[in-house]
Amino acid sequence: MSRVILSPQHPLSAGLTSDSRLVRAYRGERSDTTPVWFMRQAGRSLPEYRDLRVGTRMLDACLDPEMASEITLQPVRRHKVDAGIFFSDIVVPLKLVGVDVEIQPGRGPVFGRAYADAAGVAELTKVDPARLDEASGPISEAVARTIAELNETAPRGRVSTSSTSSGVSTGSTTGGATPLIGFAGAPFTLAAYLAEGGPSKDHLAARTLMHADAGAWRALMDWTAELSGRFLRAQVLAGASAAQLFDSWAGALSLEDYERHVAPASAKALSFVHDLEYEATDAAGTAVTRHVPVVHFGVGTGELLGAMEGVGVDTVGVDYRVPLDVAAQRVGAGVPLQGNLDPALLAAPWHVLEAAVREVLRRGEVAPAHVFNLGHGVPPETDPTVLTRVVELVHEAGA
Ligand code: CP3
């Protein structure tokens, strides 16, 4: 594959995020302390989010660059997390190429119809995924606005590679910016919604189609892979410093089905960012070329962790069901891990939560590097002051 060098203004190329705690962890290096961010850190747990969203539908908010950028930045300002995650949704690229989809509050993505058979898949895949490139202006603009503020007002989280200081340096290190993580839905998770026409518990329609009509299934997976891949690429080109592929519902699959019917499509989605590189200087002062780090996460994927790593990623995200030291054995030596505090514990008394955070950090020590996160998204009822306290604890205890 021919390589593409990111523009000199990109935060990775400009050296603003390439030595941040997050990006270093994603390439397997430890820093002054353990980086932390939360899946769904932007959203209903924040009163400033609920205020801003009044009267605006979810997908309209995602496609308003000013609003999407502001929502992305809210948890970074409030919690001092080590990364922003771009405020968007896995169905945004579908919406942008004209698929009839909305997000119903409390329910999730709902489509105008289900795409559960060959005729449905043929109808859906008539649209060329390359159309996303012309339609993704609001995404690129929102990312650009976001990194402009991250570069300007958040010089933190960067650790000089020659520094041996063990001080926890939130806000005190110089020259760096907080990285933005771009994301996309993996082909299976998108297919789980598309085949059903909306949310489901066991994703039966997708699992049936996979076996009932292998040709239609492959067409659906190829198409969603390209769409998600282009969505991810647009975010990275516009300034995201890492990319996360969410295969939230892959845990519904057997290992064999995952490897045969799903993993190749996830690899294809990631191929849209694998060629993106930047030039940097390593700790010894030698010029090196690096790729944009990629994270892969799913829920209930304990049986699949090795195969999910095998898709070709830098870091594996682990849900709360498998302790990190066990996950480390499943993904193999040398793979950084992200996770995996049970979100339910955010509502527990502080001493219980604190012990659980320390336990996650302790188990994460077996990996070459660890990015602290939850085992799934922040519950909407979460007290945001608890999240801020968890960030402080991770930065202090993870040093
Ligand atoms: O802070 C972040 O993590 C970034 C934003 C983000 C959203 N969706 C915003 C959102 C991310 C990374 C996603 C990805 C996403 N969307 C996934 C994969 C991650 C996961 O949670 O497993 C999935 C499965 C979806 C589909 C989806 N969209 C669901 C299940 C829901 C929740 C429905 C509900 O109301 O409970 C959504 C809507 C959604 N996406 C919200 C947010 C903040 C809630 C919308 C609201 O505020 O009304």
Side-chain angles (χ1 to χ4, degrees):
M1 194 190 305
S2 64
R3 301 174 345 192
V4 173
I5 299 288
L6 294 171
S7 84
Q9 291 78 37
H10 190 285
L12 286 170
S13 309
L16 290 168
T17 56
S18 51
D19 288 318
S20 61
R21 289 174 187 147
L22 183 90
V23 174
R24 289 188 68 189
Y26 285 160
R27 64 171 179 261
E29 296 171 17
R30 290 196 177 255
S31 302
D32 61 332
T33 191
T34 304
V36 47
W37 67 277
F38 304 111
M39 292 186 275
R40 289 278 163 91
Q41 64 189 20
R44 282 171 293 182
S45 65
L46 300 185
E48 57 270 37
Y49 169 83
R50 295 193 299 264
D51 286 350
L52 199 62
R53 275 288 315 283
V54 171
T56 308
R57 286 179 306 178
M58 175 62 189
L59 288 177
D60 293 338
C62 294
L63 297 178
D64 175 338
E66 203 179 334
M67 198 180 278
S69 170
E70 173 59 24
I71 294 172
T72 303
L73 291 161
Q74 284 174 345
V76 181
R77 295 190 199 114
R78 181 194 264 266
H79 300 310
K80 308 263 184 291
V81 277
D82 293 284
I85 172 112
F86 183 53
F87 179 79
S88 194
D89 197 83
I90 59 170
V91 299
V92 163
L94 292 161
K95 176 87 179 171
L96 283 171
V97 299
V99 175
D100 178 6
V101 57
E102 60 167 326
I103 293 182
Q104 289 184 4
R107 232 187 125 206
V110 176
F111 292 85
R113 57 164 292 181
Y115 303 92
D117 57 17
V121 171
E123 181 68 29
L124 181 72
T125 57
K126 273 202 310 219
V127 180
D128 181 357
R131 267 187 38 196
L132 186 71
D133 295 355
E134 299 125 54
S136 59
I139 303 307
S140 306
E141 193 189 328
V143 169
R145 278 173 175 268
T146 307
I147 61 157
E149 179 163 336
L150 289 174
N151 289 350
E152 192 179 304
T153 61
R156 51 173 297 275
R158 184 179 201 249
V159 189
S160 158
T161 41
S162 59
S163 164
T164 52
S165 156
S166 60
V168 177
S169 46
T170 300
S172 65
T173 47
T174 52
T178 304
L180 178 70
I181 302 169
F183 77 92
F188 176 75
T189 290
L190 284 178
Y193 286 108
L194 286 161
E196 209 80 41
S200 63
K201 202 161 155 282
D202 300 318
H203 321 299
L204 278 176
R207 285 159 54 211
T208 300
L209 181 63
M210 168 186 303
H211 292 283
D213 189 335
W217 177 253
R218 211 168 309 117
L220 178 61
M221 295 304 270
D222 264 355
W223 188 83
T224 50
E226 184 172 343
L227 198 66
S228 274
R230 288 179 185 275
F231 182 53
L232 216 44
R233 187 179 182 87
Q235 293 167 68
V236 173
L237 289 176
S241 292
Q244 178 156 323
L245 192 68
F246 281 94
D247 210 349
S248 298
W249 310 140
L253 299 168
S254 68
L255 177 60
E256 194 187 334
D257 280 350
Y258 179 78
E259 286 183 324
R260 278 190 56 190
H261 300 293
V262 170
S266 293
K268 178 179 170 178
L270 293 175
S271 73
F272 283 82
V273 288
H274 275 327
D275 61 329
L276 301 178
E277 299 188 336
Y278 64 101
E279 275 147 14
T281 311
D282 72 8
T286 312
V288 287
T289 303
R290 292 190 171 126
H291 63 273
V292 176
V294 173
V295 187
H296 202 185
F297 168 79
V299 180
T301 46
E303 301 298 319
L304 309 181
L305 287 173
M308 288 179 70
E309 194 274 328
V311 159
V313 296
D314 300 280
T315 295
V316 172
V318 182
D319 92 342
Y320 56 89
R321 291 169 183 81
V322 180
L324 292 179
D325 49 337
V326 177
Q329 290 165 5
R330 297 187 187 176
V331 297
V335 180
L337 296 177
Q338 179 171 281
N340 73 344
L341 180 78
D342 184 346
L345 288 167
L346 294 170
W350 176 251
H351 72 275
V352 175
L353 174 55
E354 179 181 354
V357 169
R358 290 183 188 277
E359 179 71 358
V360 168
L361 286 168
R362 190 184 66 75
R363 290 180 183 265
E365 279 170 18
V366 299
H370 172 209
V371 175
F372 190 96
N373 205 313
L374 305 178
H376 200 185
V378 174
E381 317 71 45
T382 303
D383 173 355
T385 65
V386 170
L387 290 174
T388 307
R389 223 174 147 189
V390 169
V391 173
E392 287 165 1
L393 174 61
V394 170
H395 281 160
E396 188 192 295

